[in-house]
Amino acid sequence: QVQLAESGGGSVQSGGSLTLSCTGSGAASGYTYKYYCMGWFRDTPGQGREAVAIIDSDGNTTYAADDVKGRFIISRDNEENTLNLRMNSLKPEDTALYYCAAGLPRPVPPFCRPGARAYTEWGQGTQVTVSP
């Protein structure tokens, strides 16, 4: 079982930047961290939990929500067991509780999907607040 811990949330003014980080430890039997699909999700009022960005084991971004494309960058370091989300040009509507998540890849393409139910391991969340 992978344990995940997020950091880097906070309050920022519109147009500012933040970098969220997530550190993983442990793994399901037969796997190590580097094999997992990883993603950032957020909870917003009225929207529920939505995927922000997903990255596969090779470091390819397999999904980015339309409203973060060109502003947010997801990356991972499999040697350090870390996942990052660089958030630029932040808007008030980006205000949310952000979660790091891990899930084993599907055996067939698409290997890493954006649906939250595909992710079995979750961090505790980190709050991002963007003021006008």
Side-chain angles (χ1 to χ4, degrees):
Q1 180 175 350
V2 174
Q3 290 83 45
L4 303 171
E6 303 99 336
S7 62
S11 297
V12 65
Q13 289 190 320
S14 182
S17 298
L18 283 174
T19 297
L20 304 183
S21 296
C22 174
T23 301
S25 61
S29 176
Y31 288 87
T32 60
Y33 171 86
K34 67 180 181 180
Y35 292 114
Y36 282 77
C37 301
M38 301 294 298
W40 287 98
F41 292 77
R42 63 188 179 189
D43 284 349
T44 54
Q47 299 274 350
R49 185 161 298 184
E50 60 177 3
V52 176
I54 305 296
I55 191 168
D56 68 14
S57 59
D58 293 328
N60 302 305
T61 300
T62 61
Y63 174 83
D66 287 341
D67 62 342
V68 307
K69 287 179 180 176
R71 299 190 299 125
F72 292 9
I73 300 171
I74 188 171
S75 62
R76 68 190 293 170
D77 184 332
N78 288 336
E79 296 299 319
E80 299 293 327
N81 287 1
T82 57
L83 175 75
N84 293 318
L85 185 69
R86 175 65 178 177
M87 303 186 294
N88 299 315
S89 303
L90 282 160
K91 306 174 182 178
E93 50 265 43
D94 294 319
T95 295
L97 186 60
Y98 284 73
Y99 294 91
C100 168
L104 292 173
R106 299 174 72 238
V108 296
F111 300 112
C112 300
R113 296 175 296 178
R117 285 187 289 182
Y119 296 80
T120 55
E121 314 302 333
W122 294 82
Q124 80 286 355
T126 186
Q127 179 68 36
V128 172
T129 302
V130 184
S131 58

